[in-house]
Amino acid sequence: MRVGMTMFFQNYADWDRYEAKERGEDVPALDPATDGRRYREELDAALAAEDQGWDSLWTVEHHISPYTMIPNPVQLLSYIAGATSRIDVGTMVVVLPWHHPLRVAEDITVLQYLLGEGRTPYIGFGRGAARREFAQLGLEMGESRGRFDEAIQVVKLALTEESFSFHGEHYTFDDVTMRPRPRDPQQLIDNFHFSWGSPSSAPIGARFGLKPLIIPQRPWDDYHAELAEFGRARAAAGYAPARPRIHMNVFCGETEQEAEEHARRFIPEYADSARRNYELDSNHFATTKGYEHYAAQSAALEQVGDAAKAMGDAYLANHVWGTPDQCIEKMRRIAAAFRPEELMLVMRYGDMPREVAERNVALFSREVLPAVQAIPLEEPVTYDDALTA
């Protein structure tokens, strides 16, 4: 099984100041050195991953807030492509409604050239769910589903046709061509993935032939039905079953006590950062078209009372932490349940200090990574039962 490292570049410590400023309160100006220091430290860790034996480096896309400071994942991965020689790269995700689709096709084409022969770009797509990101990019969040549907069609046409036309509600192209032409357009398209937040969104990417990418927000068992629906939509569109790729947070400690202490501090910080970025305990989803699941989730969190604690507990239950043996066993259970193509692991999150992250990565790379890579790939789930249901 393949195992990749995910770059997040969070500045969790700035959330209180950031939200106070957003509310119009008088707060100190941001010290930009804090962002710069986090960037340098995390780039150093990413560039060490190739020598440590990781198969791939992945990253995300977010704007505006301290949640993750990576506004252009393909730009970052282009740097990684030039700074490394073996490792593959991936996005989880490029948020299509935030981009002109022809530019997306151009960017990933150039990334493929920069990687050269023998290396693969795995491009995950999504439609976004953060109100402040849509607003500050000047886009209507309620249009995200329609924009996604049109944009993925345009990206595929640009990669496969020397000249193409497309007429939609949001994008119009007449006899357009893209240069340079992709070195291997089928490699790009075969490795397109889709990540969804709400269960009803799972078939959206599947019907365009995208493969499943799970960024867990719910208990693991909930994803079996969603993957079955994903498989049904792929099959109906003429595509073969596909194994998912799965993301998770990891903390590996020398002792159970060390692992639990750090996991219980930093994993809830990551969950809290996600809550704040997506405003999950706000009621704005109730009035936004296409985000009904998020509206229900927000209502449920409001009933709980302490949304931060509830999300922190849920993330602790979902993600992987423990001694090396415990991490291996947890990942084997996930592999047996989902038969994934790859696990993509974020090793530094929340306000985790550099030295703690370095110990986490070093121990995992030495004692866990080879064992997880040795897990055999089983045949993908066929979803025959789902197709006949």
Side-chain angles (χ1 to χ4, degrees):
M1 178 180 297
R2 292 169 53 89
V3 183
M5 180 187 293
T6 299
M7 301 173 284
F8 261 51
F9 295 19
Q10 296 192 309
N11 191 347
Y12 178 75
D14 188 49
W15 263 115
D16 288 344
R17 187 206 65 85
Y18 175 87
E19 288 182 324
K21 182 176 185 295
E22 198 173 50
R23 292 190 297 267
E25 298 175 18
D26 187 17
V27 297
L30 172 67
D31 178 3
T34 63
D35 290 354
R37 181 167 58 250
R38 190 73 179 220
Y39 246 82
R40 289 191 303 272
E41 292 174 358
E42 297 231 16
L43 279 176
D44 286 347
L47 294 179
E50 187 166 75
D51 289 339
Q52 291 167 334
W54 297 73
D55 295 298
S56 57
L57 279 166
W58 293 69
T59 196
V60 297
E61 177 182 0
H62 284 288
H63 302 261
I64 313 306
S65 83
Y67 178 50
T68 75
M69 302 178 294
I70 303 169
N72 188 331
V74 178
Q75 178 189 37
L76 177 58
L77 295 178
S78 296
Y79 168 76
I80 296 295
T84 57
S85 61
R86 176 194 60 80
I87 207 161
D88 294 327
V89 299
T91 66
M92 49 173 281
V93 294
V94 172
V95 182
L96 275 181
W98 296 344
H99 298 275
H100 190 286
L102 187 60
R103 290 298 303 270
V104 173
E106 291 170 340
D107 287 349
I108 63 178
T109 293
V110 171
L111 177 61
Q112 185 183 58
Y113 274 106
L114 295 176
L115 286 168
E117 298 283 350
R119 303 171 73 185
T120 302
Y122 296 91
I123 306 299
F125 295 110
R127 65 185 184 102
R131 175 175 62 169
R132 61 166 62 89
E133 294 181 89
F134 277 94
Q136 293 206 30
L137 292 170
L139 296 166
E140 173 55 53
M141 187 168 164
E143 296 178 352
S144 68
R145 182 167 293 181
R147 286 186 176 276
F148 180 93
D149 285 4
E150 292 185 19
I152 190 60
Q153 295 177 71
V154 171
V155 169
K156 293 177 74 173
L157 285 168
L159 295 175
T160 56
E161 305 292 335
E162 182 178 345
S163 298
F164 73 94
S165 297
F166 180 89
H167 298 93
E169 179 183 353
H170 304 286
Y171 305 107
T172 298
F173 299 90
D174 288 300
D175 196 26
V176 170
T177 190
M178 181 192 76
R179 301 293 291 272
R181 302 302 304 152
R183 175 174 57 80
D184 185 346
Q186 201 58 49
Q187 181 205 46
L188 288 169
I189 292 171
D190 286 347
N191 290 297
F192 280 175
H193 291 70
F194 178 68
S195 177
W196 61 96
S198 59
S200 62
S201 294
I204 292 175
R207 69 173 183 264
F208 293 114
L210 310 186
K211 296 177 178 179
L213 193 165
I214 297 176
I215 303 173
Q217 301 173 6
R218 295 175 289 287
W220 284 112
D221 286 349
D222 291 0
Y223 283 95
H224 291 295
E226 294 174 33
L227 284 169
E229 187 68 20
F230 200 100
R232 176 163 46 232
R234 273 183 62 89
Y239 297 100
R243 281 188 286 266
R245 282 182 155 81
I246 298 179
H247 158 77
M248 63 193 75
N249 291 28
V250 171
F251 194 88
C252 187
E254 294 281 1
T255 65
E256 289 187 48
Q257 181 180 354
E258 178 195 4
E260 181 168 0
E261 176 186 345
H262 288 95
R264 289 191 177 279
R265 174 181 171 186
F266 299 118
I267 290 178
E269 285 182 351
Y270 169 76
D272 183 55
S273 194
R275 177 188 64 83
R276 295 163 96 159
N277 181 68
Y278 293 108
E279 301 175 275
L280 291 177
D281 45 0
S282 161
N283 62 5
H284 75 278
F285 290 108
T287 57
T288 306
K289 179 183 176 182
Y291 290 85
E292 292 78 13
H293 169 77
Y294 286 91
Q297 185 181 23
S298 295
L301 283 173
E302 186 177 5
Q303 293 297 318
V304 167
D306 190 342
K309 183 180 186 305
M311 283 192 63
D313 290 345
Y315 275 65
L316 279 167
N318 252 13
H319 295 270
V320 171
W321 48 277
T323 64
D325 286 344
Q326 290 172 325
C327 289
I328 292 168
E329 178 56 31
K330 289 179 180 180
M331 290 185 180
R332 283 178 175 158
R333 289 202 302 268
I334 292 168
F338 291 96
R339 306 181 190 179
E341 189 80 31
E342 183 168 10
L343 303 178
M344 300 95 72
L345 314 177
V346 58
M347 308 298 290
R348 187 179 182 187
Y349 38 84
D351 200 28
M352 188 185 296
R354 178 177 188 168
E355 60 273 14
V356 174
E358 288 176 343
R359 292 199 304 272
N360 183 26
V361 172
L363 181 60
F364 183 93
S365 300
R366 185 174 66 250
E367 299 193 23
V368 181
L369 182 61
V372 178
Q373 288 171 325
I375 296 173
L377 286 179
E378 299 183 38
E379 288 300 310
V381 175
T382 63
Y383 302 110
D384 287 341
D385 292 339
L387 289 170
T388 57

